Amino acid sequence: MARIPEKAILTIGDQQIELPIVVGTEGEKAIDITKLRDRTGYITLDPSLSNTGVCQSGITFIDGEKGILRYRGIPIEQFINYPSFVRVAWLLIFGRMPTTEELGQFSELLTRHELLHESARHQFQQIPVDAPPMAILSASLSNLSYYHPELLAIEDTESFVEAAARLISKVRTIAAFAYRRSQGLPFNYPNPKLRYCENLLHMMFSLPHQQYVCTPEIVDALNLVLLLHADHEQNCSTFTVRVVGSSQANLFASCAAGVCALWGRLHGGANVKVIEMLEKIHKGGMTPEQCIAEAKSKDSTFRLYGFGHRVYKNFDPRSRIIRDACDRVFATLTHGDPLLDIARKLEELALKDHYFTDRHLYPNVDFYSGLLLRSMGIPTDMFTVIFSIGRLPGWIAHWREQHNDPTSRILRPRQVYTGSAEIHIESALVQAPELKNTGK
Ligand code: ACO
């Protein structure tokens, strides 16, 4: 590999300045422009931040060209044989694998904090039954601030661990309550004897007359979905958590903001759009070929949902794992899912089409994750909620990394202003005379 220079030289007119080059563990290179404006008066313009590193982080590594994803250095594929979401959460947050004792203590903490405050539980009764579960989730995470005011200013590891455990545990209870509310069903309290994923499924699906019994395949699949979503470096929602956290907002508020960012259809909402797209084809609303044609059309805003990624330009390693898991789980079910066949057909068509291959558009994690969630009986409007449960450890890990970094400052980008040049208020009123006359 060519030697990486230590400095970059920037020439602006007749001024030349040297900018340091920062090199990451895996050789990724960045030009450090921290002093650029001070020294030249210039800023950089990168509206979608695609070329901008906003921090140095030791949590997750992605190589989008090679389809690599690693949590704390461990390739994502290697977690398939160790599917404990709680262990992965600990790894991401604290930077190394927990010992058996540490994992046991953290799991105990999760069990201790799994109940919601009774007032919070009563609040659910006031929420309209058709309220979007993501709205309930973001509001409820933010509301944790008023039940745990002692955890708003985190000054030591102990209170951080308390806040993190409360979030990771209660998010599951909130998610299940949101689902039960939408179904008009009584809430199920968490069962301390059940492990993380089983407990979530129990709270969602057990009925007063019938305890929900899930197969090991379903529990493993849910574990897998959660751990595959656990972190993805500076994605939209994680960056949001960092932006909010950089103002020293508390952990609950920062993660609630992350939920809002995840809600959008270009981010966490994409697997919902995938299912809607597959259902439309299934109901005869369009053929797979028409779907591909519409996704390619410049006259349409429609996209082939579950395809493309800002970072992965070859393949998304999570999509392969999810696809295999889909095959495994559906093999154990007595009923198939016609949408799975349609998804395979769409994938086949897209991978043969130059529009997609030329633009490096391949299936992302969302293309098959919705199908896997459907196989567990999880309804479409809960998909992004489940994604949030999975992504929470990543948000917490990033919030902590930033909080513990003595050099971190409030995130406050600049802009290139393109509005009106200075104008006197009197001339502005001339352009709007009715305002001048009424004095309003
Ligand atoms: N279907 C059709 N065309 C697409 C798609 C798609 N899914 N994705 C990108 N393109 C096209 C764009 O129209 C654009 O074409 P052009 O060069 O002719 O103008 C080109 O590919 C580049 O697309 P961008 O929008 O610039 O790519 P960007 O990196 O900004 O967006 C994104 C990435 C948002 C994921 C995009 O690929 C997309 O909208 N995909 C569908 C939604 C989706 O699946 N989101 C989930 C992402 S993964 C996650 O959040 C967990």
Side-chain angles (χ1 to χ4, degrees), residues 48 229 232 235 262 265-271 274 295-296 298 302-311 313 316 318 355-356 359 361 364-367 387 391:
S48 62
H229 287 90
H232 215 232
N235 59 88
L262 194 71
R265 65 186 178 149
L266 295 188
H267 190 17
N271 58 4
V274 172
K296 287 160 54 174
K298 290 291 160 210
F302 177 80
R303 291 197 160 188
L304 184 57
Y305 290 102
F307 259 69
H309 199 276
R310 170 58 60 82
V311 179
K313 297 300 174 195
D316 177 342
R318 303 167 302 173
Y355 173 92
F356 294 94
R359 288 171 177 73
L361 303 172
N364 60 47
V365 66
D366 288 320
F367 196 65
F387 189 161
R391 185 54 54 88

Side-chain angles (χ1 to χ4, degrees), residues 43-68:
I43 60 167
T44 55
L45 184 62
D46 184 18
S48 62
L49 301 179
S50 326
N51 303 285
T52 299
V54 290
C55 61
Q56 297 192 44
S57 175
I59 301 170
T60 288
F61 172 68
I62 298 177
D63 183 328
E65 275 68 37
K66 294 189 185 137
I68 293 174

Side-chain angles (χ1 to χ4, degrees), residues 306-337:
F307 259 69
H309 199 276
R310 170 58 60 82
V311 179
Y312 294 120
K313 297 300 174 195
N314 192 336
F315 69 94
D316 177 342
R318 303 167 302 173
S319 74
R320 291 185 172 177
I321 299 172
I322 289 259
R323 195 193 147 125
D324 291 348
C326 253
D327 289 342
R328 274 199 309 278
V329 169
F330 278 102
T332 67
L333 299 179
T334 46
H335 57 279
D337 187 341

Side-chain angles (χ1 to χ4, degrees), residues 126-144:
Q126 316 306 325
I127 297 171
V129 276
D130 55 355
M134 285 297 273
I136 301 177
L137 185 64
S138 61
S140 305
L141 290 189
S142 188
N143 288 353
L144 291 178

